[in-house]
Amino acid sequence: GEGEGEGEGEGEGEGEGEGEGEGVLTVEPGDQSVLLFKPAVVKWSSTQPVRLTNTGSGPLEVQLSLVDGTVFSVDGDSHVILGAGESRDLVLRFAPTAYQSYVDLLLVDDGTRRVRIHLQGEGLYMPLLSCSGGGVRAHAVRGDALLMAMLFGLLALSGRRRRSRRL
């Protein structure tokens, strides 16, 4: 029975919303869910939607915040007021700055409860081609390990075939 009843009764008896119903927040995806972003190329971005719905009979004020907030962000206003029965789709953006995995935590607060959504994304590098002296040279770039392994495997196979032929 440890921890039971914690946080109950917060905000009761305050002057707000007297004479009208209460707002009730529903968040899609739900509390403690993990939102996976498509891998994004560094300096580009990928997005995921988050839907806020007020299923109550009164207005609701919602505040979105990110614990880190360096590569994940909320497009538009992170302070939303929802009327009774109103829904709003918000866009979360993932814009990686390096070739690595990222995590962050989105907090959605309605004044009485907090929904936590775990965000995960991976930054990728794309090969950059540069023309110098008439030749095209690919810069050394880290990318998807499996793709690179397959590519090197194919190169090794084609190289063996060439060497085994006697001219």
Side-chain angles (χ1 to χ4, degrees):
E2 270 182 54
E4 278 181 41
E6 274 182 35
E8 281 181 29
E10 277 180 48
E12 282 181 28
E14 288 176 17
E16 266 184 88
E18 282 180 23
E20 19 178 270
E22 273 185 28
V24 178
L25 178 66
T26 311
V27 182
E28 200 54 50
D31 191 30
Q32 296 299 342
S33 57
V34 175
L35 198 53
L36 286 171
F37 287 76
K38 283 185 186 153
V41 176
V42 171
K43 294 184 182 166
W44 290 45
S45 65
S46 69
T47 59
Q48 282 282 20
V50 171
R51 171 166 280 210
L52 306 178
T53 305
N54 179 357
T55 56
S57 55
L60 190 62
E61 206 168 317
V62 183
Q63 183 67 46
L64 286 87
S65 57
L66 292 151
V67 171
D68 181 32
T70 51
V71 295
F72 293 97
S73 60
V74 179
D75 281 6
D77 203 354
S78 57
H79 181 251
V80 178
I81 296 169
L82 295 170
E86 193 184 341
S87 280
R88 182 93 43 96
D89 285 322
L90 297 176
V91 175
L92 290 179
R93 186 168 299 278
F94 166 58
T97 55
Y99 172 73
Q100 67 180 61
S101 294
Y102 292 93
V103 291
D104 204 342
L105 188 61
L106 174 70
L107 305 173
V108 184
D109 288 290
D110 68 0
T112 54
R113 79 183 187 113
R114 169 176 277 182
V115 173
R116 292 168 184 84
I117 300 172
H118 301 269
L119 310 178
Q120 290 182 11
E122 193 168 334
L124 301 176
Y125 273 137
M126 284 293 275
L128 300 170
L129 296 176
S130 71
C131 297
S132 56
V136 176
R137 211 172 45 213
H139 295 278
V141 166
R142 286 187 295 168
D144 184 15
L146 181 65
L147 196 64
M148 296 303 265
M150 286 169 59
L151 183 65
F152 285 121
L154 287 170
L155 288 172
L157 283 173
S158 63
R160 258 191 233 116
R161 259 190 241 116
R162 252 184 242 120
R163 264 184 250 115
S164 63
R165 268 197 213 126
R166 292 197 176 120
L167 298 171

